[in-house]
Amino acid sequence: MTFAATILTLYPEMFPGPLGLSLAGRALGEGKWVCDPVQIRDFATDRHRSVDDTPAGGGAGMVMRADVLARAVDHAVDRQPGVPVLAMTPRGRPLTQARVRDLAAGPGAIILCGRFEGIDERLFEARPIEPVSIGDYILSGGEMAALVLLDACIRLLPGVMGAASSGDEESFESGLLEYPHYTRPAEWEGRTIPEVLRSGDHAKIEAWRTAMAETDTRLRRPDLWERHEGARVQSPSGARQQKKER
Ligand code: ADE
């Protein structure tokens, strides 16, 4: 199955961009995914091909018009019915590896890239569109966010990562950060590789990696750690138990 990405954008030249290189670029060449950028401006109706207007209530910047965006979305949905429609915006729900896996297992996505101050909210009321954020910072537009989302999906498509495993051991798949990595030289700037990794004792190595993943997650990502610990204290029946004081 080919994963089909339709991207609604004011900058179609930004696609496939970096996704035309490396792993994703090879997969694109092999037809494992297709990239179809669509110019939103083509759905404007006035002489100036306007896609934005001043914010109701006043304030800085411009807002993307619901009528123009709806025409672009409807056109994409007509051509690719049944795929999720996402809108990249800092007001969206944070993207997770679980959502990426879901998307990558499906037929593709229609991705609307926001620009300016934002998108007229009525678009989200009138069409089933999932707002997605890639993090708590502001980009100059949704295009970079769409590239990030697509990169995360494409590497999971069958046959794309090859021998580099299915990604099951990676950060977030277990709810923890991944353990730290080392390679040759055995000594660099006076620093050696942890002895256990050279022991050949696979059970010991496994235990060390788990301990490191837990420590690093607790220190660097207390939010993930909290969730991980919360999930662990659930009973087999699924009922929540009181977390022990430590
Ligand atoms: N557009 C601007 N900033 C963004 C973000 N953090 N995530 C998704 N889309 C965006």
Side-chain angles (χ1 to χ4, degrees):
M1 190 173 59
T2 298
F3 182 91
T6 300
I7 302 120
L8 307 176
T9 169
L10 293 173
Y11 299 97
E13 307 80 8
M14 286 178 74
F15 296 89
L19 299 181
L21 304 167
S22 188
L23 212 70
R26 188 164 355 113
L28 186 60
E30 291 168 355
K32 295 198 167 87
W33 72 288
V34 292
C35 180
D36 182 18
V38 172
Q39 172 58 265
I40 291 169
R41 224 172 267 290
D42 291 347
F43 299 88
T45 50
D46 63 326
R47 219 157 47 84
H48 303 291
R49 307 221 299 158
S50 348
V51 295
D52 59 339
D53 210 328
T54 53
M62 300 291 272
V63 176
M64 295 183 96
R65 286 169 50 152
D67 57 342
V68 178
L69 292 182
R71 275 193 293 275
V73 167
D74 292 347
H75 165 86
V77 171
D78 277 351
R79 287 203 319 192
Q80 209 183 343
V83 306
V85 184
L86 315 176
M88 306 315 294
T89 160
R91 275 172 49 78
R93 273 186 290 279
L95 184 62
T96 62
Q97 187 64 21
R99 185 69 187 113
V100 165
R101 267 203 184 278
D102 269 2
L103 288 169
I110 295 165
I111 308 173
L112 170 62
C113 301
R115 279 263 155 189
F116 315 121
E117 284 309 301
I119 296 168
D120 187 317
E121 191 62 22
R122 292 172 295 178
L123 180 73
F124 297 99
E125 295 163 12
R127 299 289 185 278
I129 298 175
E130 175 186 337
V132 177
S133 164
I134 62 157
D136 292 339
Y137 40 80
I138 310 291
L139 304 168
S140 49
E143 284 78 7
M144 294 287 197
L147 289 168
V148 166
L149 179 142
L150 285 172
D151 181 80
C153 291
I154 291 159
R155 61 189 288 283
L156 295 181
L157 298 178
V160 172
M161 261 196 297
S165 92
S166 62
D168 286 347
E169 274 193 27
E170 292 177 321
S171 288
F172 309 120
E173 292 298 345
S174 62
L176 295 174
L177 299 183
E178 204 180 358
Y179 53 79
H181 300 278
Y182 297 86
T183 186
R184 280 186 282 273
E187 188 184 330
W188 173 73
E189 293 194 351
R191 295 161 197 279
T192 54
I193 292 172
E195 196 54 47
V196 59
L197 297 181
R198 291 185 287 162
S199 69
D201 182 336
H202 293 293
K204 246 163 79 180
I205 291 172
E206 197 57 42
W208 180 87
R209 286 178 166 165
T210 301
M212 291 301 287
E214 290 179 352
T215 305
D216 286 349
T217 304
R218 189 162 47 77
L219 296 177
R220 297 178 181 183
R221 292 293 305 273
D223 57 324
L224 285 185
W225 182 246
E226 181 102 342
R227 210 177 314 151
H228 178 75
E229 284 291 275
R232 268 204 333 183
V233 297
Q234 284 203 335
S235 75
S237 70
R240 241 358 216 240
Q241 291 178 351
Q242 190 76 37
K243 223 165 103 181
K244 285 206 193 80
E245 287 293 337
R246 279 182 303 161

